[in-house]
Amino acid sequence: MLEFNKDNFSQEVLECKGLVLVDFWSPKCEPCMELMPEVEKLAEEFKDKVKFGKVNIVENRRLAIGQKVLGLPTIIMYKDGEKVWELTKDFTVEDLKTHIQEVL
């Protein structure tokens, strides 16, 4: 998974053609830390169809606020730079996989 931050987010996500999944997380967020290995598995499974990356909101607070991330964990799917869907807080890995498959 790629590391997105304030310096590369616009180029890697907003200006990107195709699908980009962004995992907004924090090292202090236990659900985020539990979810991350599962997201990394999905990144491997869908690597030919979706670009996967993550944003540490502690280091990129303004970026997270700019993307209207209000709770953690939050995963947002972008298509051609536009937000397609967002999952926040109470969701399962199965929910995430279903959402990914729906936009392919």
Side-chain angles (χ1 to χ4, degrees), residues 2 11 14 19 25 29 35-36 38 41 47 52 56-57 71-72 74-75 79 82-86 94 100 102-103:
L2 301 169
Q11 179 181 358
L14 302 179
L19 296 169
W25 69 285
C29 169
L35 186 63
M36 194 164 302
E38 299 300 324
K41 287 178 188 171
K47 68 182 175 189
F52 279 72
N56 180 338
I57 68 154
L72 292 179
T74 291
I75 295 184
K79 181 175 184 179
E82 298 292 323
K83 191 184 290 189
V84 178
W85 53 257
E86 176 177 331
E94 291 78 24
I100 293 169
E102 287 175 355
V103 294

Side-chain angles (χ1 to χ4, degrees), residues 8-77:
N8 69 3
F9 189 84
S10 182
Q11 179 181 358
E12 292 284 351
V13 179
L14 302 179
E15 297 170 15
C16 181
K17 294 292 181 209
L19 296 169
V20 184
L21 183 141
V22 183
D23 181 2
F24 290 86
W25 69 285
S26 164
K28 295 181 180 179
C29 169
E30 287 185 30
C32 299
M33 301 309 288
E34 292 172 10
L35 186 63
M36 194 164 302
E38 299 300 324
V39 175
E40 289 171 349
K41 287 178 188 171
L42 290 174
E44 185 62 29
E45 182 177 343
F46 292 102
K47 68 182 175 189
D48 296 331
K49 298 175 183 166
V50 180
K51 180 193 294 187
F52 279 72
K54 56 188 174 183
V55 174
N56 180 338
I57 68 154
V58 173
E59 298 169 357
N60 299 281
R61 189 166 306 280
R62 286 187 181 179
L63 172 58
I65 291 168
Q67 294 301 305
K68 297 179 175 52
V69 174
L70 303 175
L72 292 179
T74 291
I75 295 184
I76 301 176
M77 177 69 81

